[in-house]
Amino acid sequence: MPTEPARHPDAAAEPWWPEELRLLQQLSSLASPWLEVHPLGSIEAAGQTLPLTAFSLGNADPSLPAVGYFGGVHGLERIGSHVVLAFLHSLVTRLQWDESLHQLLASMRLVFLPLVNPGGLLLGTRANPQGVDLMRNAPVDADERAPAMISGQRLSPHLPWYRGAPDAAMEVESETLCRFVQEQLLLRRFAISVDCHSGFGFVDRIWFPFAHTARPIEHLAELYALAQIQDASLPHHPYVMEPQSRHYLTHGDLWDHLYLQARARHAEHTFLPLTLEMGSWLWIKKNPRQLFSRAGIFNPLIEHRQQRVLRRHLGWLDFIARAAHSHARWLPQGETRAQAHEAALDRWYRGRQH
């Protein structure tokens, strides 16, 4: 994936647009018979109108499985958008010659929303232009004691982790994400979402709901089975897969909200939301000067290190697509499902403090 793509003509009037927005414009104008572009609206920031753009590949038949890839929920975490855009660019390029990828996409759907919060990206903030942290913006409250501030607060948009006013609707970006997931993923009998973030620890983690409670998710057995085939198929992978609640509880988590919606509206379906939390402290350890830059706390600033991060995760994103495509071969059923549930409780919940 080029690090400095040719500027789309529509972006010529915005020479200071960040690279990620220019990459989106480049993809939107790409003459590809396989890539579908979905304009989802726009938001205003710093006097600019910024697009909310999604993409899709593969078979649109709603009876088939799907995976959704998301990035840029937090404007500061630019590496998440880069990972999603790099994977999408790789797929579109491979479709020119990879027959096995054509066969895969003939019986599944891949959808992408690479930049959920373009205003935050443009302004260099975690929150959107209204000061709202989108990952604290959903109408879900923690049902146990959650840490002050970091779990979400309603005091002021000038403080971090602001949830928005208690009587306000969700932000445009949050609502757009939720509507896209509802239309593209929740209507399918099997779907996985991957939301790419950075900024937590020295280890790359794969988190799954819940964030608002220490109670296990209802599809715990299925997540355990996914972890098992991941460990077996990628024996040297760097990821720690676990529920987010093992670390802290939060209010307003978008993926908790969407999972609860899926259970309420489509109880017979399986929706597995995953969050890739890239361990950004590793980049700071290798380059301590990044501590003096807001962007450096959440992103690799040295080019070769960013390229290494992109290479590191593309294989796992491809694994998730193939796991979704072949879910009937590994999803636990009957007694096996009950055994997987018990094994998951042992692995992630029993004997641990939350």
Side-chain angles (χ1 to χ4, degrees), residues 40 62 178-188:
L40 302 181
C178 290
R179 184 171 61 252
F180 185 69
V181 171
Q182 290 159 1
E183 294 172 354
Q184 299 289 336
L185 300 181
L186 300 193
L187 295 178
R188 295 170 183 266

Side-chain angles (χ1 to χ4, degrees), residues 55 119 121 134 173 244 277 288:
F55 306 89
L121 172 72
L134 301 180
E173 301 92 338
Q244 181 179 335
E277 283 280 343

Side-chain angles (χ1 to χ4, degrees), residues 102-175:
H102 279 276
Q103 293 171 359
L104 182 82
L105 292 175
S107 50
M108 75 174 305
R109 186 77 157 172
L110 300 180
V111 300
F112 300 80
L113 184 49
L115 184 49
V116 177
N117 182 11
L121 172 72
L122 188 69
L123 299 173
T125 60
R126 174 184 171 95
N128 75 349
Q130 284 66 50
V132 176
D133 187 328
L134 301 180
M135 201 46 70
R136 303 290 187 272
N137 188 223
V140 180
D141 294 323
D143 63 7
E144 302 173 37
R145 184 173 182 179
M149 295 300 289
I150 190 174
S151 63
Q153 53 86 16
R154 296 197 188 275
L155 299 173
S156 170
H158 302 293
L159 298 173
W161 306 295
Y162 180 58
R163 298 183 61 188
D167 56 347
M170 283 197 294
E171 296 295 300
V172 170
E173 301 92 338
S174 303
E175 184 60 40

